[in-house]
Amino acid sequence: MAAAIIEEISDYLQKGRAKNVKKLVEEALEQGINPKEILNEGLLAGMMIVGEKFKNNEVFVPEVLVAARAMTAGITILEPKLIEVGNEPVGKAVVGTVKGDLHDIGKNLVVMMMKGAGLEIIDLGVDVDADTFINKAEEVGADVIGMSALLTTTMPNMQTVVDALKERGLRDKYIVMVGGAPVNQTFADQIGADYYTADATSAAETAKAAILERKAK
Ligand code: B1M
């Protein structure tokens, strides 16, 4: 039963049918299926297939956009189940997708999971330039600067932020975290980021641990 409804969620997501996705996610939760399973095996699996088809020119931007909307509809239903906000604020993070990049689904998941881990999040949105990341971090007294990139052409803009932090003498003040489909540990090391994580849950766990470690020093 679980497998059938999860597969339906993935199918409707691929077709960009937001209302059906929303309804099925609600039904899956009512059936007691684990929200993480719905996210990973249903929504994310469906989006991976869309991504492959996009790469192979089997679908185009409009189809991907409606799939993204369906994904967001599903995530909105899952959000309260996926996060259990702790009472103690752990610290603050400014999070955004880097300049030139408009992909926000992964970034939104990171924001959601970090909130769930007890961090106060300032969501800077998409297409965020280095000054905005840094000025906002300074203004709110952030512990973490979190950057997401989905395009190989925008990944270098993560380096721009790290370089701007260095120029302003602020590099060591912040825990710099990077992620997104084309980003990896080697790239993170190359640009001098503190942490790379592959998914939103580990981003949240890593941010929390890194902040607590700093505060303990
Ligand atoms: Co775009 N797109 N897209 N797209 N798109 C990709 C990224 C692409 C790989 C598709 C493909 O060819 N297979 C390709 C990039 C190729 C490359 O760079 N080598 C691509 C392209 C080319 C483009 C355009 C250039 C297409 C065009 O216009 N011709 C254009 C660029 C626009 C721009 O940004 N300037 C474009 C546009 C779009 C849409 C607007 C249509 C839409 C985005 C809608 C939106 O985000 N609101 C879109 C989508 C949906 C995708 C795919 C299909 C799915 C991305 C996604 O949401 N995945 C994508 C294919 C793919 O990635 N396989 C593709 C689900 C999401 C949960 O995963 O974001 O990876 P992800 O996040 C993960 C982890 O990476 C991690 O956590 C999440 C999971 O837990 N993570 C972090 C993310 N950020 C993190 C930060 C962290 C830690 C972990 O620390 C701070």
Side-chain angles (χ1 to χ4, degrees):
M1 272 305 277
I5 193 164
I6 296 265
E7 209 172 309
E8 265 190 282
I9 290 171
S10 165
D11 286 348
Y12 276 119
L13 182 135
Q14 292 168 52
K15 291 179 189 142
R17 304 269 287 272
K19 278 189 190 151
N20 299 75
V21 169
K22 181 172 175 277
K23 189 165 162 282
L24 284 168
V25 170
E26 281 165 350
E27 274 176 36
L29 286 173
E30 275 161 25
Q31 287 179 21
I33 301 172
N34 186 319
K36 281 201 173 150
E37 189 182 345
I38 302 171
L39 176 69
N40 292 327
E41 315 296 328
L43 299 173
L44 288 176
M47 190 51 100
M48 285 307 287
I49 296 171
V50 174
E52 271 307 299
K53 290 187 174 166
F54 190 27
K55 192 167 79 186
N56 300 328
N57 292 321
E58 291 168 45
V59 298
F60 301 95
V61 171
E63 289 97 320
V64 182
L65 256 182
V66 287
R69 281 194 202 125
M71 172 108 187
T72 304
I75 289 176
T76 308
I77 304 297
L78 287 181
E79 182 166 0
K81 306 282 174 195
L82 283 171
I83 61 175
E84 285 168 28
V85 182
N87 295 328
E88 279 292 294
V90 174
K92 279 187 199 167
V94 295
V95 180
T97 303
V98 295
K99 188 162 174 54
D101 201 322
L102 304 176
H103 295 85
D104 68 355
I105 296 173
K107 184 268 296 169
N108 292 343
L109 279 175
V110 170
V111 164
M112 199 169 99
M113 300 315 275
M114 282 188 175
K115 279 186 187 165
L119 272 79
E120 188 184 330
I121 303 296
I122 294 85
D123 184 349
L124 300 173
V126 296
D127 193 19
V128 182
D129 64 21
D131 280 345
T132 306
F133 271 113
I134 300 171
N135 293 343
K136 202 59 177 180
E138 286 287 284
E139 183 191 319
V140 302
D143 304 281
V144 173
I145 295 179
M147 295 181 269
S148 181
L150 264 289
L151 299 171
T152 44
T153 49
T154 58
M155 283 164 66
N157 296 331
M158 293 176 155
Q159 170 100 65
T160 310
V161 175
V162 176
D163 290 347
L165 279 170
K166 284 183 191 157
E167 277 161 28
R168 291 169 65 167
L170 296 170
R171 175 61 192 90
D172 294 338
K173 192 170 168 188
Y174 296 104
I175 298 160
V176 175
M177 297 184 60
V178 293
V183 180
N184 56 31
Q185 187 63 57
T186 311
F187 177 76
D189 294 342
Q190 244 170 40
I191 67 166
D194 295 305
Y195 296 100
Y196 157 76
T197 53
D199 60 71
T201 306
S202 29
E205 285 163 359
T206 303
K208 185 175 177 178
I211 293 171
L212 293 178
E213 193 187 313
R214 273 208 181 186
K215 287 188 175 166
K217 277 184 188 163

